[in-house]
Amino acid sequence: MNSQASISNGHAQSVVNPSDAALSSMVSPEQNRYANILLVCSWAGIGIMAVTFILYMAGLFNPMVAPSQMPQYWGLSVHEYAKLTNAPSGWSWLTMVSHADYMNLVGLAFLGLVSVIGYITLFVNYSIKRDIPYAIMVGLEIIIILSAASGVFHVAG
């Protein structure tokens, strides 16, 4: 028999490699759930970025900087680009999400939140199980990531 499912008498039977069974017993349900959330949400974020990029390249949703104008800004620093294009800083880009070039940032921001979404499910599961050390650890991770994203921490530069 090979390592794929075989069909006999109209019923599917799974053939499990013994080393796979040992590996799967070492992974907790919480880890599997977290990994599945990362997988699904990461692909969703990539899909959002692909769609919004196509909308931008098509010239839809009135971009602030047209794709044809981008080559003139390629060699600039972030500060020079922001000054010349009147680009917003921080989270103020959300007010410009109706423009295709800022709509592109929605998928990127979503990808930044994917780990938080997974951590929230871990926090809930660990809290229900009353696994306090892990719940505290995951809760602190959520607080740190959201604080960093909100701009509470500033890096000189």
Side-chain angles (χ1 to χ4, degrees):
M1 252 187 189
N2 62 19
S3 64
Q4 297 178 350
S6 64
I7 309 271
S8 65
N9 300 332
H11 299 290
Q13 293 178 328
S14 178
V15 178
V16 178
N17 185 341
S19 64
D20 292 342
L23 274 178
S24 67
S25 68
M26 295 177 4
V27 176
S28 71
E30 291 85 4
Q31 290 173 319
N32 277 328
R33 188 174 300 111
Y34 181 76
N36 287 331
I37 288 170
L38 290 183
L39 176 69
V40 171
C41 290
S42 294
W43 280 110
I46 291 168
I48 292 168
M49 289 181 4
V51 168
T52 55
F53 180 72
I54 290 167
L55 294 173
Y56 173 57
M57 293 306 291
L60 302 173
F61 296 99
N62 189 26
M64 297 297 289
V65 177
S68 62
Q69 294 175 337
M70 282 308 297
Q72 67 189 6
Y73 299 112
W74 282 343
L76 302 177
S77 69
V78 172
H79 299 294
E80 293 169 328
Y81 174 83
K83 187 176 180 181
L84 288 174
T85 62
N86 296 317
S89 63
W91 285 97
S92 57
W93 65 269
L94 283 169
T95 62
M96 303 178 77
V97 78
S98 62
H99 299 282
D101 42 352
Y102 290 97
M103 194 180 296
N104 279 323
L105 298 176
V106 171
L108 188 61
F110 178 75
L111 285 175
L113 288 175
V114 167
S115 61
V116 173
I117 294 167
Y119 281 143
I120 289 170
T121 63
L122 288 177
F123 181 78
V124 169
N125 286 329
Y126 290 140
S127 297
I128 290 170
K129 289 171 57 174
R130 300 196 192 294
D131 193 344
I132 303 305
Y134 279 118
I136 290 171
M137 220 173 9
V138 171
L140 289 172
E141 285 285 342
I142 293 167
I143 291 168
I144 290 168
I145 292 171
L146 292 178
S147 298
S150 69
V152 170
F153 302 118
H154 295 281
V155 178

